[in-house]
């Protein structure tokens, strides 16, 4: 039996080539009248005490419940229901990146856990509050 040794070349060692990294300002790429901006504004105005009470503790370096709420609502607005597809959208779609506000994309299990354990118990009151705020912005 022949053993194949795979040698992987490290192209990053070369000192002659440098890649410039620049932070992308996503805010300028999204039109001012895009629905993602309205959604973000409405969720920012909401009182999310009930949602935060479903958590025993919140990790400091992860996506906040407010950001997860924005992501889940926006995904449903765009007919994306699978937690794996939402995860992929958070990594690839500029509107989801805007809602994350620079945070890294949550994995599919975090999204599924948020929907089932945290959002489901308070979804009726949160959606009622969302609707009231939305109606105020129209009138």
């Amino acid at each position: 039996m022949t053993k194949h040794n795979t040698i992987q070349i490290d192209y990053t060692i070369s000192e002659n080539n440098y890649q410039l990294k620049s932070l992308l300002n996503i805010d300028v790429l999204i039109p001012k009248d895009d629905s993602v901006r309205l959604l973000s504004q409405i969720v920012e105005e909401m009182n999310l005490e009930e949602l935060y009470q479903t958590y025993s503790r919140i990790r400091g370096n992860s996506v906040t419940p407010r950001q997860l709420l924005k992501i889940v609502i926006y995904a449903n607005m765009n007919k994306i229901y699978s937690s794996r597809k939402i995860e992929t959208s958070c990594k690839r779609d500029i509107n989801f990146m805007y809602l994350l506000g620079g945070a890294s994309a949550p994995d599919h299990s975090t999204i599924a856990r948020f929907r089932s354990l945290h959002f489901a118990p308070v979804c009726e009151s949160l959606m009622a509050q969302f609707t009231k705020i939305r109606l105020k912005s129209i009138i």
Side-chain angles (χ1 to χ4, degrees), residues 4-137:
H4 296 284
N5 289 335
T6 306
I7 299 174
Q8 195 168 15
I9 301 171
D10 186 3
Y11 293 104
T12 60
I13 294 174
S14 173
E15 294 179 22
N16 296 333
N17 299 322
Y18 295 99
Q19 182 174 354
L20 179 64
K21 289 186 179 182
S22 174
L23 294 175
L24 180 63
N25 187 358
I26 294 174
D27 192 39
V28 298
L29 300 175
I30 299 173
K32 297 291 182 195
D33 61 346
D34 199 309
S35 62
V36 72
R37 289 183 183 275
L38 178 61
L39 168 71
S40 182
Q41 178 185 357
I42 291 172
V43 174
E44 289 297 325
E45 292 177 23
M46 291 175 64
N47 178 3
L48 300 179
E49 274 184 39
E50 283 184 279
L51 179 64
Y52 278 86
Q53 287 176 358
T54 63
Y55 286 85
S56 60
R57 68 183 177 94
I58 298 174
R59 294 185 189 130
N61 60 353
S62 64
V63 180
T64 66
R66 185 176 299 272
Q67 290 169 321
L68 283 168
L69 178 63
K70 290 178 186 181
I71 289 167
V72 167
I73 293 173
Y74 191 71
N76 285 310
M77 285 171 52
N78 290 287
K79 299 181 176 129
I80 303 172
Y81 305 108
S82 162
S83 59
R84 292 182 190 272
K85 287 184 180 176
I86 295 171
E87 175 187 9
T88 302
S89 296
C90 287
K91 293 177 181 175
R92 296 182 181 173
D93 188 331
I94 196 164
N95 290 341
F96 282 91
M97 291 178 196
Y98 171 77
L99 293 175
L100 283 168
S104 59
D107 63 341
H108 67 92
S109 60
T110 302
I111 295 165
R113 195 171 31 254
F114 172 78
R115 287 193 300 196
S116 63
L117 298 177
H118 305 290
F119 180 63
V122 296
C123 69
E124 287 185 32
S125 63
L126 288 180
M127 290 299 98
Q129 192 181 148
F130 183 89
T131 305
K132 285 180 186 177
I133 294 172
R134 174 69 177 117
L135 289 175
K136 286 179 187 175
S137 68

